[in-house]
Amino acid sequence: MSSAITLREITKVYGTFTAVDRFSLEVERGTVFGLLGPNGAGKTTLIKILTTLMRPTSGDAVVEGHSILTAAKKVREVIGVVPQENNLDRYLTARENLVLHGKLHGMSAARYNPRIDELLEMTGLTSRQHDFPDTFSGGMQRRLVVARSLVHNPLVLFLDEPTTGLDPQSRRALWDYIRQLRHSMTVFLTTHYMDEADTLCDRIVIMDNGVSLADGSAAALKEALSHAHVYEVELCGDGAAYQKILEEQPFITSIERSENCLRLTLNGEKSLKPLMDVIAGADLKRISLKEPSLEDVFIALTGKKVRNA
Ligand SMILES: Nc1ncnc2c1ncn2[C@@H]1O[C@H](COP(=O)(O)OP(=O)(O)O)[C@@H](O)[C@H]1O
Ligand SMILES: [Mg+2]
Protein backbone atom coordinates (compact mmCIF):
# COMPACT_ATOMS: atom_id res chain seq x y z
CA MET A 1 0.00 0.00 0.00
CA SER A 2 1.62 3.22 -1.12
CA SER A 3 -0.68 5.71 0.65
CA ALA A 4 1.02 7.70 3.38
CA ILE A 5 -2.19 9.42 4.48
CA THR A 6 -5.77 8.21 4.22
CA LEU A 7 -8.76 10.29 5.28
CA ARG A 8 -12.12 8.59 5.65
CA GLU A 9 -15.12 10.89 5.72
CA ILE A 10 -13.54 13.37 8.14
CA THR A 11 -16.13 15.81 9.48
CA LYS A 12 -15.59 18.67 11.93
CA VAL A 13 -18.51 20.60 13.35
CA TYR A 14 -17.91 23.71 15.48
CA GLY A 15 -21.19 24.24 17.35
CA THR A 16 -23.66 24.15 14.47
CA PHE A 17 -21.12 25.11 11.79
CA THR A 18 -19.65 22.36 9.63
CA ALA A 19 -16.05 23.37 8.82
CA VAL A 20 -15.04 20.06 7.19
CA ASP A 21 -17.69 17.88 5.60
CA ARG A 22 -17.10 14.12 5.06
CA PHE A 23 -13.67 14.72 3.54
CA SER A 24 -12.00 11.64 2.06
CA LEU A 25 -8.55 11.50 0.52
CA GLU A 26 -5.53 9.31 -0.11
CA VAL A 27 -2.08 10.85 -0.41
CA GLU A 28 0.60 8.80 -2.10
CA ARG A 29 3.86 8.27 -0.25
CA GLY A 30 6.84 10.39 -1.29
CA THR A 31 4.80 13.06 -3.04
CA VAL A 32 4.16 16.73 -2.35
CA PHE A 33 0.44 17.19 -1.85
CA GLY A 34 -1.20 20.62 -1.75
CA LEU A 35 -4.53 21.58 -0.23
CA LEU A 36 -5.43 24.83 -1.93
CA GLY A 37 -8.29 26.94 -0.67
CA PRO A 38 -9.35 30.46 0.32
CA ASN A 39 -9.32 31.61 3.95
CA GLY A 40 -11.97 29.78 5.93
CA ALA A 41 -12.02 26.78 3.56
CA GLY A 42 -11.20 24.36 6.40
CA LYS A 43 -7.49 23.74 5.67
CA THR A 44 -6.16 24.39 9.17
CA THR A 45 -8.99 22.38 10.70
CA LEU A 46 -7.97 19.39 8.54
CA ILE A 47 -4.28 19.78 9.40
CA LYS A 48 -5.07 20.02 13.12
CA ILE A 49 -7.08 16.80 12.88
CA LEU A 50 -4.36 14.98 10.91
CA THR A 51 -1.66 16.10 13.33
CA THR A 52 -3.81 14.97 16.32
CA LEU A 53 -4.20 18.47 17.79
CA MET A 54 -7.95 18.19 17.38
CA ARG A 55 -10.38 15.29 17.15
CA PRO A 56 -12.79 15.04 14.25
CA THR A 57 -16.52 15.06 14.99
CA SER A 58 -16.70 11.89 12.91
CA GLY A 59 -14.57 9.94 10.47
CA ASP A 60 -11.04 8.63 10.82
CA ALA A 61 -7.64 9.15 9.23
CA VAL A 62 -4.58 6.94 9.04
CA VAL A 63 -1.06 8.36 8.84
CA GLU A 64 1.70 5.87 7.94
CA GLY A 65 -0.47 3.04 9.21
CA HIS A 66 -1.53 4.71 12.48
CA SER A 67 -5.06 5.87 13.22
CA ILE A 68 -5.38 9.43 14.50
CA LEU A 69 -8.16 8.20 16.80
CA THR A 70 -6.59 5.13 18.36
CA ALA A 71 -2.84 5.66 17.87
CA ALA A 72 -2.34 9.44 18.19
CA LYS A 73 1.00 9.02 19.95
CA LYS A 74 2.35 6.85 17.12
CA VAL A 75 1.11 9.40 14.58
CA ARG A 76 2.99 12.17 16.39
CA GLU A 77 6.20 10.13 16.27
CA VAL A 78 6.18 9.88 12.47
CA ILE A 79 5.06 13.40 11.55
CA GLY A 80 6.65 16.83 11.45
CA VAL A 81 4.43 19.88 11.80
CA VAL A 82 4.88 23.48 10.66
CA PRO A 83 1.80 25.24 12.06
CA GLN A 84 0.21 28.31 10.51
CA GLU A 85 1.49 30.46 13.40
CA ASN A 86 5.15 30.14 14.39
CA ASN A 87 5.30 28.62 17.87
CA LEU A 88 8.97 28.91 18.72
CA ASP A 89 10.10 29.18 22.32
CA ARG A 90 11.31 32.78 22.52
CA TYR A 91 13.33 32.14 25.68
CA LEU A 92 15.47 29.54 23.93
CA THR A 93 18.08 30.18 21.24
CA ALA A 94 17.51 28.80 17.75
CA ARG A 95 19.65 25.78 18.47
CA GLU A 96 18.07 25.22 21.89
CA ASN A 97 14.66 25.16 20.20
CA LEU A 98 15.88 22.35 17.97
CA VAL A 99 17.56 20.48 20.84
CA LEU A 100 14.37 20.64 22.92
CA HIS A 101 12.45 19.15 20.00
CA GLY A 102 14.99 16.31 19.67
CA LYS A 103 14.72 15.57 23.40
CA LEU A 104 10.93 15.61 23.29
CA HIS A 105 11.18 12.95 20.62
CA GLY A 106 13.42 10.83 22.82
CA MET A 107 16.57 11.37 20.77
CA SER A 108 20.05 11.17 22.31
CA ALA A 109 22.47 14.07 21.92
CA ALA A 110 24.61 11.84 19.71
CA ARG A 111 21.68 11.54 17.34
CA TYR A 112 20.17 15.01 17.43
CA ASN A 113 23.38 17.09 17.34
CA PRO A 114 24.60 16.04 13.88
CA ARG A 115 21.04 16.21 12.57
CA ILE A 116 20.64 19.75 13.93
CA ASP A 117 23.97 20.82 12.38
CA GLU A 118 22.76 19.51 9.05
CA LEU A 119 19.36 21.25 9.29
CA LEU A 120 20.86 24.58 10.38
CA GLU A 121 23.13 24.36 7.35
CA MET A 122 20.27 23.48 5.02
CA THR A 123 18.14 26.40 6.22
CA GLY A 124 21.07 28.85 6.26
CA LEU A 125 20.85 29.49 10.00
CA THR A 126 24.18 28.10 11.20
CA SER A 127 25.69 31.53 11.94
CA ARG A 128 22.59 32.58 13.90
CA GLN A 129 22.05 29.37 15.89
CA HIS A 130 22.90 30.94 19.24
CA ASP A 131 20.57 33.91 18.78
CA PHE A 132 17.00 34.18 20.02
CA PRO A 133 14.13 33.81 17.52
CA ASP A 134 12.77 37.27 18.37
CA THR A 135 15.84 38.77 16.69
CA PHE A 136 15.05 36.86 13.45
CA SER A 137 13.16 38.10 10.40
CA GLY A 138 9.85 36.42 9.55
CA GLY A 139 11.56 34.33 6.90
CA MET A 140 14.29 33.15 9.28
CA GLN A 141 11.76 32.22 11.96
CA ARG A 142 9.82 30.23 9.40
CA ARG A 143 12.99 28.43 8.31
CA LEU A 144 13.72 27.61 11.94
CA VAL A 145 10.24 26.13 12.40
CA VAL A 146 10.79 24.01 9.27
CA ALA A 147 14.19 22.88 10.59
CA ARG A 148 12.61 22.00 13.93
CA SER A 149 9.88 19.94 12.26
CA LEU A 150 12.56 17.79 10.61
CA VAL A 151 14.86 17.06 13.58
CA HIS A 152 13.34 13.63 14.29
CA ASN A 153 13.34 12.55 10.62
CA PRO A 154 9.55 12.41 10.13
CA LEU A 155 7.99 10.29 7.42
CA VAL A 156 5.28 12.86 6.77
CA LEU A 157 5.66 16.62 6.98
CA PHE A 158 2.61 18.87 7.42
CA LEU A 159 3.01 22.54 6.55
CA ASP A 160 0.11 24.93 7.13
CA GLU A 161 0.49 27.96 4.85
CA PRO A 162 4.30 27.79 4.99
CA THR A 163 5.01 31.04 3.17
CA THR A 164 2.10 33.29 4.11
CA GLY A 165 3.35 36.76 4.96
CA LEU A 166 6.90 36.18 3.71
CA ASP A 167 8.75 38.35 1.21
CA PRO A 168 9.30 36.87 -2.28
CA GLN A 169 12.93 35.95 -1.64
CA SER A 170 12.16 34.07 1.58
CA ARG A 171 9.28 32.31 -0.13
CA ARG A 172 11.54 31.04 -2.90
CA ALA A 173 14.14 29.90 -0.36
CA LEU A 174 11.49 27.91 1.52
CA TRP A 175 10.26 26.39 -1.73
CA ASP A 176 13.81 25.20 -2.40
CA TYR A 177 13.95 23.41 0.98
CA ILE A 178 10.57 21.82 0.41
CA ARG A 179 11.68 20.63 -3.04
CA GLN A 180 14.74 19.01 -1.47
CA LEU A 181 12.42 16.92 0.72
CA ARG A 182 10.52 15.52 -2.23
CA HIS A 183 10.79 11.72 -2.45
CA SER A 184 12.50 11.43 0.96
CA MET A 185 9.18 11.97 2.75
CA THR A 186 5.55 12.77 2.10
CA VAL A 187 4.77 16.49 2.23
CA PHE A 188 1.23 17.71 2.93
CA LEU A 189 0.92 21.46 2.67
CA THR A 190 -1.90 23.96 2.62
CA THR A 191 -1.77 27.23 0.79
CA HIS A 192 -3.91 29.92 -0.72
CA TYR A 193 -1.16 30.88 -3.17
CA MET A 194 -1.60 29.64 -6.73
CA ASP A 195 2.09 29.92 -7.61
CA GLU A 196 3.04 27.88 -4.56
CA ALA A 197 0.66 25.05 -5.40
CA ASP A 198 1.64 25.24 -9.05
CA THR A 199 5.40 25.03 -8.54
CA LEU A 200 5.61 22.70 -5.54
CA CYS A 201 2.82 20.19 -5.65
CA ASP A 202 2.59 16.91 -7.54
CA ARG A 203 -1.11 16.91 -6.81
CA ILE A 204 -3.55 19.59 -5.71
CA VAL A 205 -6.97 19.40 -4.11
CA ILE A 206 -8.92 22.64 -4.23
CA MET A 207 -11.21 22.92 -1.21
CA ASP A 208 -13.79 25.41 -0.05
CA ASN A 209 -16.56 25.27 2.54
CA GLY A 210 -15.14 22.05 3.95
CA VAL A 211 -15.37 20.01 0.77
CA SER A 212 -13.12 19.07 -2.13
CA LEU A 213 -13.97 20.81 -5.39
CA ALA A 214 -11.25 19.50 -7.69
CA ASP A 215 -8.36 17.06 -7.58
CA GLY A 216 -5.41 16.62 -9.91
CA SER A 217 -2.03 17.91 -11.00
CA ALA A 218 -1.78 21.64 -11.73
CA ALA A 219 -1.59 20.78 -15.43
CA ALA A 220 -4.65 18.53 -15.26
CA LEU A 221 -6.69 21.12 -13.37
CA LYS A 222 -5.86 23.75 -15.97
CA GLU A 223 -6.55 21.33 -18.79
CA ALA A 224 -9.97 20.50 -17.33
CA LEU A 225 -10.86 24.17 -17.53
CA SER A 226 -9.57 24.68 -21.03
CA HIS A 227 -12.80 23.83 -22.84
CA ALA A 228 -11.80 26.70 -25.05
CA HIS A 229 -8.48 27.01 -26.82
CA VAL A 230 -7.33 30.59 -26.79
CA TYR A 231 -4.57 31.72 -29.11
CA GLU A 232 -2.93 35.08 -29.51
CA VAL A 233 -1.94 35.86 -33.08
CA GLU A 234 0.27 38.80 -33.94
CA LEU A 235 0.28 39.86 -37.58
CA CYS A 236 2.64 41.87 -39.74
CA GLY A 237 -0.23 42.60 -42.10
CA ASP A 238 -3.51 44.43 -41.64
CA GLY A 239 -5.17 43.21 -38.44
CA ALA A 240 -8.56 44.72 -39.24
CA ALA A 241 -8.72 42.98 -42.62
CA TYR A 242 -7.85 39.65 -41.06
CA GLN A 243 -10.44 40.16 -38.36
CA LYS A 244 -13.12 40.39 -41.07
CA ILE A 245 -11.90 37.23 -42.79
CA LEU A 246 -11.54 35.26 -39.56
CA GLU A 247 -14.98 36.26 -38.29
CA GLU A 248 -16.40 34.29 -41.23
CA GLN A 249 -14.66 31.06 -40.19
CA PRO A 250 -16.86 28.43 -38.50
CA PHE A 251 -14.04 27.10 -36.28
CA ILE A 252 -13.53 30.44 -34.51
CA THR A 253 -15.87 31.01 -31.59
CA SER A 254 -14.70 34.46 -30.57
CA ILE A 255 -12.29 37.09 -31.71
CA GLU A 256 -10.88 40.23 -30.11
CA ARG A 257 -8.50 42.64 -31.77
CA SER A 258 -6.10 45.24 -30.54
CA GLU A 259 -4.17 46.78 -33.46
CA ASN A 260 -2.48 43.87 -35.25
CA CYS A 261 -2.90 41.45 -32.39
CA LEU A 262 -5.84 39.05 -32.41
CA ARG A 263 -7.05 36.95 -29.51
CA LEU A 264 -8.90 33.99 -30.94
CA THR A 265 -10.91 31.27 -29.29
CA LEU A 266 -10.91 28.15 -31.41
CA ASN A 267 -13.36 25.30 -30.94
CA GLY A 268 -10.52 22.81 -30.44
CA GLU A 269 -6.90 22.08 -31.22
CA LYS A 270 -7.88 20.59 -34.58
CA SER A 271 -8.81 24.11 -35.73
CA LEU A 272 -5.21 25.26 -35.66
CA LYS A 273 -4.47 23.87 -39.12
CA PRO A 274 -7.43 25.62 -40.85
CA LEU A 275 -6.44 28.82 -39.03
CA MET A 276 -2.93 28.57 -40.47
CA ASP A 277 -4.44 27.98 -43.91
CA VAL A 278 -6.38 31.23 -43.68
CA ILE A 279 -3.47 33.36 -42.52
CA ALA A 280 -0.83 33.75 -45.19
CA GLY A 281 2.54 32.70 -43.76
CA ALA A 282 4.24 35.99 -44.57
CA ASP A 283 1.68 37.94 -42.54
CA LEU A 284 2.14 35.92 -39.37
CA LYS A 285 4.57 37.38 -36.87
CA ARG A 286 3.86 35.29 -33.77
CA ILE A 287 1.26 32.84 -32.48
CA SER A 288 0.98 31.69 -28.87
CA LEU A 289 -1.34 29.50 -26.87
CA LYS A 290 -2.93 31.22 -23.88
CA GLU A 291 -3.31 28.58 -21.18
CA PRO A 292 -5.71 29.13 -18.31
CA SER A 293 -3.82 29.79 -15.09
CA LEU A 294 -4.40 27.92 -11.86
CA GLU A 295 -5.96 31.15 -10.64
CA ASP A 296 -8.55 30.91 -13.44
CA VAL A 297 -9.35 27.39 -12.24
CA PHE A 298 -9.61 28.53 -8.64
CA ILE A 299 -11.92 31.42 -9.44
CA ALA A 300 -14.08 29.22 -11.67
CA LEU A 301 -14.49 26.70 -8.83
CA THR A 302 -14.74 28.88 -5.74
CA GLY A 303 -16.08 32.07 -7.26
CA LYS A 304 -13.47 33.85 -5.16
CA LYS A 305 -10.37 35.81 -5.85
CA VAL A 306 -7.49 34.75 -3.69
CA ARG A 307 -7.58 36.90 -0.62
CA ASN A 308 -4.52 38.17 1.12
CA ALA A 309 -3.88 36.78 4.55
N1 LIG B 1 -12.38 26.89 17.03
C1 LIG B 1 -13.30 27.28 16.14
N2 LIG B 1 -14.56 27.54 16.50
C2 LIG B 1 -15.50 27.92 15.61
N3 LIG B 1 -15.26 28.06 14.29
C3 LIG B 1 -14.02 27.82 13.85
C4 LIG B 1 -12.96 27.42 14.75
N4 LIG B 1 -11.84 27.24 14.02
C5 LIG B 1 -12.17 27.53 12.74
N5 LIG B 1 -13.47 27.87 12.64
C6 LIG B 1 -14.18 28.20 11.40
O1 LIG B 1 -14.09 27.08 10.54
C7 LIG B 1 -13.86 27.50 9.20
C8 LIG B 1 -12.58 26.88 8.68
O2 LIG B 1 -11.48 27.45 9.37
P1 LIG B 1 -9.99 27.02 9.08
O3 LIG B 1 -9.89 25.54 9.16
O4 LIG B 1 -9.10 27.81 9.97
O5 LIG B 1 -9.84 27.47 7.57
P2 LIG B 1 -8.54 27.83 6.70
O6 LIG B 1 -7.35 27.30 7.41
O7 LIG B 1 -8.80 27.18 5.37
O8 LIG B 1 -8.50 29.32 6.56
C9 LIG B 1 -13.84 29.01 9.21
O9 LIG B 1 -15.13 29.49 8.87
C10 LIG B 1 -13.52 29.34 10.65
O10 LIG B 1 -14.07 30.59 11.02
MG1 LIG C 1 -5.61 28.21 8.00
Side-chain angles (χ1 to χ4, degrees), residues 210-266:
V211 297
S212 163
L213 300 176
D215 182 350
S217 66
L221 292 173
K222 292 177 207 170
E223 180 57 33
L225 191 75
S226 61
H227 328 288
H229 295 257
V230 180
Y231 289 86
E232 213 164 72
V233 179
E234 205 180 329
L235 300 160
C236 309
D238 185 347
Y242 265 114
Q243 183 176 6
K244 280 213 170 60
I245 300 168
L246 291 170
E247 274 168 352
E248 307 289 308
Q249 308 302 322
F251 55 87
I252 292 180
T253 48
S254 84
I255 181 163
E256 273 172 62
R257 185 176 66 88
S258 121
E259 303 285 328
N260 286 338
C261 202
L262 302 173
R263 197 179 161 90
L264 307 171
T265 308
L266 307 185

Side-chain angles (χ1 to χ4, degrees), residues 43-44 84 160-161:
K43 305 183 297 296
T44 296
Q84 190 165 351
D160 196 1
E161 306 236 5

